[in-house]
Amino acid sequence: MHCAAGSRLPGVQIMRYDEAFRSSGYHTALLTTFSFDPTVFENVLLVAMRSRGCRNIGVLADMNMVNRTLSEVAPAPRAGTAYHLAKKSVTGAFHPKIVLQLGEKEGRLMLGSANLTGAGLVGNLETVSTVVVSEEDRSAAPLMAEAVRYFEAHADEKDQAMRDVLSRARARTPWLADVEPKEEVTIGGERVAFLTESASAGIAKRFRSFVGDDPIDRLIVVSPYADGTLEGFSRLREEFGTPPTSFVVDAREHDFTADTFQSQIRASLHSAEPHALGGQRRLHAKVIIANGARADYVLAGSANASIPGLYSRFGVSGNAEAGIA
């Protein structure tokens, strides 16, 4: 499932995520992922991007997951020549899923729940939000600049190869040169924010600040994973005054018990299986919808409804996470 923030109003469409990498007009791709499948990446995405002129490619992936994959599953023979692969270690998991494509005249930011694996590209039920910069509309450019800044913040200063990728990206993207990074912009009349873990607050608190003082009547939380104690889910609900909450899970994945969930007040539990593809595909999407008195607010990205996912902080504790509100 692919959620696209367009030039006017956000829309939703079902599509194959891998098809998005077949676009022309981009010289650079900066990607982050938790799980990384080198066979899928090199034979599908890399071929698609390079054949359309994108040759400056950098990937940041979770260190533990990459080490396990390279030692137990498959090597990455083209890493270091056709693209640069760097490992990232944080106190929890390096968990953001970001694809930032930059061109001389345009750019695209895709951010969601999908890893750079076969399951993430075509197998799972995923959400990916898309924000585009064109020659005609530069309103999303500050978000692109913020995404580059976030990528740079997680890149190792001693990794000269990745620094070269980033230098080439900036040198070849003139429209980005004078853009001030911003976490929030207005696109087609809609507020859109690029939210990540910060040194002072995690994703959940930053989303709460995005919503502001609008009273929330209901929450809908979609998350395949949660704490066994539901602590992250509970804290999220408390952030919004513990409104009635629908919790959509993959019945095969969660660790909490029926007794644990029944202790939640005004909360209902739902399966992803009634979805048209729910019985065929694993639920991997992470979405929070807050129904307010004045508007509905949506956060879609990489963070599960858990303490590491929602309440981590940059350089302090827990996961690295990213989402679009």
Side-chain angles (χ1 to χ4, degrees):
M1 184 153 54
H2 177 264
C3 302
S7 58
R8 294 186 63 82
L9 293 176
V12 176
Q13 62 182 144
I14 307 297
M15 67 173 290
R16 281 180 44 162
Y17 182 39
D18 63 312
E19 294 178 353
F21 295 85
R22 300 174 187 172
S23 303
S24 301
Y26 305 115
H27 52 66
T28 291
L30 304 175
L31 309 96
T32 69
T33 186
F34 174 62
S35 299
F36 179 75
D37 185 330
T39 302
V40 170
F41 181 81
E42 295 186 0
N43 291 291
V44 180
L45 301 189
L46 185 65
V47 170
M49 290 188 288
R50 287 179 61 86
S51 68
R52 286 155 179 81
C54 183
R55 301 298 182 92
N56 187 44
I57 302 170
V59 179
L60 274 177
D62 182 82
M63 178 178 289
N64 290 334
M65 292 298 289
V66 170
N67 287 344
R68 184 183 307 170
T69 298
L70 297 183
S71 64
E72 299 178 4
V73 181
R78 303 196 70 187
T81 54
Y83 68 103
H84 181 56
L85 173 63
K87 304 171 187 177
K88 176 65 180 182
S89 178
V90 297
T91 57
F94 184 70
H95 205 246
K97 287 85 169 164
I98 300 170
V99 176
L100 182 61
Q101 296 169 299
L102 299 173
E104 184 178 353
K105 298 180 180 180
E106 58 192 287
R108 179 165 62 183
L109 172 64
M110 295 186 289
L111 193 157
S113 59
N115 287 298
L116 298 178
T117 62
L121 292 170
V122 297
N124 296 337
L125 286 175
E126 308 275 8
T127 58
V128 179
S129 302
T130 302
V131 179
V132 176
V133 166
S134 66
E135 286 188 87
E136 297 76 26
D137 187 355
R138 300 282 195 223
S139 55
L143 287 187
M144 304 283 181
E146 178 62 19
V148 173
R149 186 208 63 77
Y150 179 75
F151 190 97
E152 288 176 332
H154 275 295
D156 188 343
E157 293 183 357
K158 299 178 182 178
D159 185 347
Q160 187 58 50
M162 187 63 81
R163 292 294 159 188
D164 290 343
V165 169
L166 290 164
S167 295
R168 289 192 294 268
R170 289 192 176 277
R172 299 173 185 175
T173 314
W175 56 265
L176 196 61
D178 298 322
V179 175
E180 180 183 355
K182 292 183 180 179
E183 296 172 353
E184 183 177 328
V185 299
T186 300
I187 303 175
E190 299 287 333
R191 295 169 57 215
V192 181
F194 175 70
L195 301 182
T196 63
E197 82 289 358
S198 71
S200 60
I203 289 277
K205 287 189 177 294
R206 304 197 67 203
F207 182 53
R208 185 67 187 88
S209 296
F210 177 81
V211 171
D213 61 0
D214 192 0
I216 298 303
D217 301 320
R218 180 181 180 83
L219 283 177
I220 301 170
V221 180
V222 181
S223 176
Y225 307 106
D227 309 292
T229 60
L230 288 177
E231 183 180 357
F233 178 70
S234 299
R235 284 182 60 179
L236 174 67
R237 298 186 67 209
E238 291 169 4
E239 297 278 359
F240 292 95
T242 318
T245 304
S246 298
F247 193 22
V248 184
V249 302
D250 187 323
R252 298 161 291 188
E253 298 290 349
H254 66 77
D255 294 326
F256 58 88
T257 66
D259 289 341
T260 301
F261 189 80
Q262 286 170 358
S263 67
Q264 296 285 322
I265 300 171
R266 297 190 299 172
S268 57
L269 191 62
H270 306 266
S271 169
E273 290 194 3
H275 185 282
L277 297 174
Q280 307 170 37
R281 299 189 177 188
R282 172 188 171 213
L283 176 68
H284 195 251
K286 290 91 171 170
V287 183
I288 300 170
I289 303 172
N291 299 137
R294 299 191 295 270
D296 294 334
Y297 308 86
V298 181
L299 174 67
S302 63
N304 286 295
S306 64
I307 291 295
L310 295 176
Y311 291 95
S312 298
R313 291 184 294 144
F314 183 87
V316 179
S317 62
N319 295 356
E321 304 280 6
I324 288 285

